[in-house]
């Protein structure tokens, strides 16, 4: 059976990482989507493990060592983006691989990014490469998804809505399933 880690980025107490008006913490969005992705993928027969914890801020090193120890088939990190700390017009969705990704990571990023764009109709910012520890140091296909900007008034409203959270979760689950089955 395939097993994957779904990682809600950051933690409930992480400094910064919120909308300019403070009404949404990034973790609250990340976790809500992670719960929905888990539900969808579990229904498809996958084993889904969380590397985050809603009662504490889990260190990146702990998330990475869990993934590598369990030898999961994929590591999916869910985030919301920010550009600066004030409201601005930056918007859209982007998906990251590490700087020197495996082919499997690129394929997974491509499927997820495409599914998100088709499901949400947000601006497609494309597949990007980033030097994120959870992507660099994990030993399986790994992607990090930025589901919209907390610093954009329109997207901040979407990030708070359960409809949008579900759309993102459906797209992520669909994209991952395309690659694993
Ligand atoms: Zn984040």
């Amino acid at each position: 059976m395939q097993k994957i880690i779904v990682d809600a980025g950051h933690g409930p107490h992480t400094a910064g990482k919120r909308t300019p008006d403070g009404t949404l913490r990034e973790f609250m969005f990340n976790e809500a989507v992670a719960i929905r992705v888990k539900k969808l993928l579990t229904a498809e027969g996958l084993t889904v493990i969380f590397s985050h914890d809603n009662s504490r801020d889990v260190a990146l090193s702990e998330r990475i060592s869990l993934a590598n120890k369990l030898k999961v088939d994929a590591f999916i990190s869910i985030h919301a983006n920010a550009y600066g700390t004030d409201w601005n017009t930056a918007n859209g969705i982007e998906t990251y691989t590490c700087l020197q990704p495996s082919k499997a990571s690129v394929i997974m990023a491509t499927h997820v990014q495409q599914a998100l764009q088709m499901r949400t109709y947000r601006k497609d910012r494309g597949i990007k490469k980033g030097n994120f520890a959870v992507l660099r140091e994990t030993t399986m296909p790994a992607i990090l998804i930025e589901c919209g900007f907390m610093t954009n008034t329109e997207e901040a409203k979407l990030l708070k809505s359960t409809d949008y959270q579900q759309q993102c979760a459906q797209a992520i689950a669909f994209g991952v399933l395309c690659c694993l089955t």
Side-chain angles (χ1 to χ4, degrees):
M1 192 201 285
Q2 307 260 29
K3 59 176 188 281
I4 74 164
I5 281 190
V6 173
D7 174 61
H10 315 291
H13 310 296
T14 308
K17 306 293 179 190
R18 58 199 70 193
T19 53
D21 61 5
T23 56
L24 177 71
R25 292 184 184 206
E26 185 186 339
F27 181 77
M28 297 308 150
F29 170 80
N30 300 343
E31 187 202 22
V33 176
I35 289 168
R36 291 169 184 273
V37 170
K38 182 175 186 173
K39 197 170 179 186
L40 292 165
L41 290 179
T42 302
E44 297 293 332
L46 270 67
T47 299
V48 177
I49 299 137
F50 285 159
S51 49
H52 56 277
D53 184 334
N54 63 16
S55 67
R56 67 190 176 99
D57 292 4
V58 181
L60 295 178
S61 58
E62 191 178 335
R63 299 175 195 235
I64 293 160
S65 59
L66 179 72
N68 292 344
K69 188 182 74 187
L70 296 176
K71 296 188 168 61
V72 292
D73 297 293
F75 185 94
I76 313 295
S77 191
I78 299 168
H79 289 253
N81 222 333
Y83 182 72
T85 52
D86 291 321
W87 298 111
N88 58 70
T89 58
N91 71 96
I93 293 174
E94 58 199 21
T95 301
Y96 284 86
T97 65
C98 65
L99 297 177
Q100 290 166 325
S102 64
K103 199 175 170 193
S105 294
V106 175
I107 290 171
M108 186 169 286
T110 305
H111 278 104
V112 168
Q113 176 68 16
Q114 192 173 44
L116 278 164
Q117 209 268 319
M118 291 173 69
R119 189 74 185 86
T120 68
Y121 303 106
R122 302 310 302 168
K123 179 179 168 187
D124 181 5
R125 299 173 65 90
I127 311 292
K128 298 188 176 181
K129 290 179 181 176
N131 192 22
F132 296 105
V134 292
L135 302 183
R136 189 180 63 232
E137 294 170 25
T138 45
T139 54
M140 67 289 306
I143 61 172
L144 185 149
I145 307 152
E146 298 280 8
C147 300
F149 281 77
M150 295 185 290
T151 45
N152 179 286
T153 49
E154 187 185 353
E155 292 193 345
K157 201 178 286 179
L158 287 172
L159 292 165
K160 289 183 207 173
S161 86
T162 53
D163 281 352
Y164 186 76
Q165 291 165 5
Q166 182 68 5
Q167 286 174 16
C168 289
Q170 286 169 339
I172 292 166
F174 180 81
V176 169
L177 275 173
C178 284
C179 305
L180 289 181
T181 52

